Amino acid sequence: MPMHSRVQYPEAIEPLVQFIEETPPSEILDLALEKLRAGVPTKTMLTASVLAVVRSSDLPPGHHGGPLHPVAGLHAIWNLASRLEGEESFVPVLQHVALSNKHIHQPDMGPFSLLDFKPLDSGGVEATKAAFRTACGRGEYNKADHLFLSLWENAPAIEAFDLLLSVAIPKNILDDHYFIFPSFAWRTLDIIGREYLPLLMRPVVRYVARFPSAPAMPEIDALIDEYDLMNSISRQRSGEDETTAIGELGEAMGRVEMYAEIPVLMAKALSGGLSLEGAGEALSIGAASLFLRSLTGNPMDVHMHTSANIRRYLLKLPGISLRNKILLLLLWQTGPEVRSTQFRMEDEVQPDMAAVAALPPRSQEDLLEAITQSIYQQPPTDWATVSNLGLMRAVPEVKITVNLATQYVKAGYDPMVFMARLAQIVCHDNFTEMHAFKHHQAVIEEYNATREPWRWMHLVAGAQAAAISYGKNMAIYEEALDLMHAA
């Protein structure tokens, strides 16, 4: 008998999980499409995909690979598939399955098995919480995994999650993904079901607990003390009475030169009576404005939107502590993939409204087609000249897309039609490990959750991101299309 066995899933899903784990990458698209056509529900296929990559793919030292992006991207994939019709809705699902399968079969991530082991109780919930914090301080991620299995069993789930966030949020300054992984994993459970919570969160706990520990944040702690934020915030929900304050804060964020100004603006607004959810909406407006000013050409630099979006989700969750909610609002700009953009920004707020006004008038249909073609005709990337993806700058042609998209929303044309077209375009991407899908979902949610007159910026940001990511690598999309048309 083996000393240890790998995690086992319920009998209803286990065979499909094994299919995704064991199918050779060269065959996965064809066979997964066959199963979808035979009636396997989208949610079931995505659940199996994410459970497979959790069980059979290891987390590499960085943040690309293993279960991280397949888990974090599932919410976006599920919603994107729901926006598409017919077999087109299979494409994002196939993208997810292909990525999970790829990570399982890559030698830097596998072979790997998530082993079944016992929870570790350190003498009650509070003692186990303390032991978890100690383990995180030492980078003892395996011990942290044991301890957290006990917390899921013995504490309310939201209480355990809040503890995990209290370690993850400060580590945002080291890598945005320390915060993004647990947060989007929680949203994934909203879709696949809470019964998978302890298993799905195991790689999350292991990732959050590993070295290095979060550095001290004296300037943030000083802001919390100076504005007495732990005692001065009395309002959770926003209302129409906050519209002016939300707009002023969001616009002020969009104009900053140095991102260190952002938490100061936020702390002042909170101490002045702005609600937590109103502050989250202002953060969303500021994030959209800064993204439109950004000159980045890296298709993975979408964390401005995705991390603002997930913060708004968490701000609404009952059971998240006030300190964590305050830190969510004060640390957005600290993530390396967010703060790197402050050195690649237009001087003025974008888009250039004079350039938009100079465009010839078009009907909704003609303008939508012009936007689409401007994305499809973006110049190809000469990868021989790219030494550092993070330093890529957007080609000038991206502004053509931005201006056309601005003309569309300012003309009052149908936003739903625009979203549907962006959904079709974003399905092409398999370069960004789900980043393009997550950004697309974030801009849709932020458009729907942001009030006038600022919501339009999110749709334009969606078009800008699509223009940046289009054409980088579309092999999975093209193969899936060939398979669909071959039938």
Side-chain angles (χ1 to χ4, degrees):
M1 287 288 290
M3 182 178 172
H4 298 292
S5 59
R6 69 176 183 168
V7 162
Q8 290 295 299
Y9 296 124
E11 288 181 16
I13 197 85
E14 178 68 35
L16 194 56
V17 175
Q18 289 184 24
F19 157 75
I20 293 169
E21 290 171 328
E22 296 168 7
T23 301
S26 61
E27 299 173 23
I28 190 67
L29 281 181
D30 195 356
L31 296 178
L33 175 60
E34 192 177 287
K35 288 184 180 293
L36 289 168
R37 282 177 162 164
V40 172
T42 294
K43 185 181 289 189
T44 306
M45 183 65 82
L46 287 173
T47 301
S49 180
V50 83
L51 294 178
V53 78
V54 160
R55 181 166 73 182
S56 294
S57 181
D58 195 15
L59 282 159
H63 59 244
H64 286 296
L68 198 158
H69 287 108
V71 170
L74 188 134
H75 168 79
I77 294 290
W78 164 249
N79 283 279
L80 176 56
S82 303
R83 273 195 290 280
L84 297 166
E85 296 180 355
E87 291 207 337
E88 208 172 37
S89 68
F90 292 162
V91 177
V93 181
L94 293 171
Q95 291 273 19
H96 194 281
V97 170
L99 183 62
S100 294
N101 177 270
K102 172 186 173 184
H103 286 185
I104 289 165
H105 289 270
Q106 277 187 240
D108 50 341
M109 304 168 210
F112 172 81
S113 281
L114 185 67
L115 298 179
D116 192 16
F117 56 51
K118 293 187 182 342
L120 176 62
D121 188 321
S122 293
V125 168
E126 293 307 315
T128 304
K129 284 181 179 179
F132 169 73
R133 287 188 176 277
T134 300
C136 290
R138 295 172 176 167
E140 296 170 340
Y141 60 86
N142 200 62
K143 185 176 182 180
D145 187 1
H146 283 273
L147 290 163
F148 231 87
L149 283 175
S150 175
L151 291 174
W152 293 130
E153 284 186 1
N154 297 300
I158 193 68
E159 187 180 314
F161 181 54
D162 187 58
L163 171 66
L164 189 61
L165 285 180
S166 71
V167 176
I169 295 170
K171 291 180 82 166
N172 189 76
I173 193 168
L174 298 171
D175 185 329
D176 318 51
H177 295 81
Y178 281 116
F179 160 70
I180 281 170
F181 192 14
S183 304
F184 275 102
W186 196 256
R187 290 200 89 170
T188 291
L189 290 162
D190 290 345
I191 294 163
I192 71 171
R194 296 281 157 193
E195 65 267 27
Y196 295 110
L197 187 153
L199 292 170
L200 187 85
M201 297 299 280
R202 282 189 58 191
V204 177
V205 171
R206 296 172 75 85
Y207 180 78
V208 168
R210 70 187 190 179
F211 268 140
S213 298
M217 305 178 293
E219 68 288 352
I220 298 298
D221 290 332
L223 277 178
I224 293 172
D225 290 342
E226 180 184 350
Y227 291 97
D228 195 24
L229 295 182
M230 290 298 292
N231 298 304
S232 62
I233 296 173
S234 59
R235 185 171 173 181
Q236 165 75 23
R237 307 225 170 270
S238 185
E240 291 303 315
D241 60 306
E242 291 193 325
T243 297
T244 300
I246 287 169
E248 287 177 351
L249 176 58
E251 289 178 1
M253 284 180 57
R255 290 192 299 267
V256 299
E257 293 304 317
M258 297 302 293
Y259 286 4
E261 301 168 43
I262 293 172
V264 178
L265 293 170
M266 183 65 72
K268 284 181 180 176
L270 287 168
S271 69
L274 189 63
S275 69
L276 289 166
E277 291 180 17
E281 185 172 352
L283 177 63
S284 173
I285 293 167
S289 186
L290 289 170
F291 183 76
L292 291 172
R293 279 180 64 193
S294 167
L295 290 167
T296 182
N298 178 4
M300 298 196 197
D301 272 350
V302 297
H303 289 238
M304 284 181 157
H305 253 104
T306 54
S307 66
N309 170 248
I310 196 65
R311 280 169 165 79
R312 292 187 75 182
Y313 167 82
L314 294 171
L315 286 168
K316 287 181 166 62
L317 279 188
I320 303 298
S321 63
L322 177 61
R323 178 171 174 81
N324 276 345
K325 288 186 176 181
I326 291 169
L327 290 177
L328 287 173
L329 292 165
L330 297 185
L331 294 180
W332 169 82
Q333 70 291 329
T334 64
E337 294 189 36
V338 172
R339 70 175 185 264
S340 68
T341 57
Q342 73 181 317
F343 305 111
R344 288 169 290 159
M345 302 274 285
E346 296 278 14
D347 291 334
E348 302 296 328
V349 170
Q350 297 295 307
D352 180 349
M353 290 303 182
V356 174
L359 293 170
R362 290 180 174 92
S363 68
Q364 175 176 299
E365 188 176 338
D366 288 348
L367 188 48
L368 195 64
E369 188 58 28
I371 295 166
T372 305
Q373 291 308 315
S374 74
I375 293 172
Y376 287 167
Q377 293 168 11
Q378 290 290 312
T381 301
D382 180 0
W383 291 109
T385 65
V386 178
S387 58
N388 185 331
L389 197 63
L391 298 178
M392 283 181 71
R393 286 185 170 244
V395 293
E397 287 83 354
V398 168
K399 292 291 189 189
I400 298 171
T401 301
V402 168
N403 292 342
L404 289 168
T406 305
Q407 184 184 28
Y408 184 99
V409 295
K410 291 297 185 180
Y413 290 152
D414 190 340
M416 301 302 291
V417 173
F418 188 78
M419 291 176 198
R421 183 60 59 89
L422 282 180
Q424 292 173 324
I425 293 169
V426 80
C427 281
H428 290 71
D429 174 75
N430 63 273
F431 178 78
T432 68
E433 286 198 4
M434 305 276 125
H435 282 66
F437 302 110
K438 284 191 295 177
H439 188 267
H440 171 71
Q441 180 61 23
V443 299
I444 302 304
E445 290 183 8
E446 292 310 296
Y447 175 83
N448 289 328
T450 301
R451 64 195 78 193
E452 297 286 8
W454 300 281
R455 63 196 313 208
W456 65 270
M457 291 191 292
H458 294 298
L459 293 187
V460 177
Q464 177 173 315
I468 291 169
S469 66
Y470 182 81
K472 297 294 186 285
N473 186 332
M474 304 190 297
I476 299 297
Y477 174 84
E478 288 164 353
E479 186 181 341
L481 223 59
D482 286 344
L483 290 169
M484 286 177 181
H485 291 158

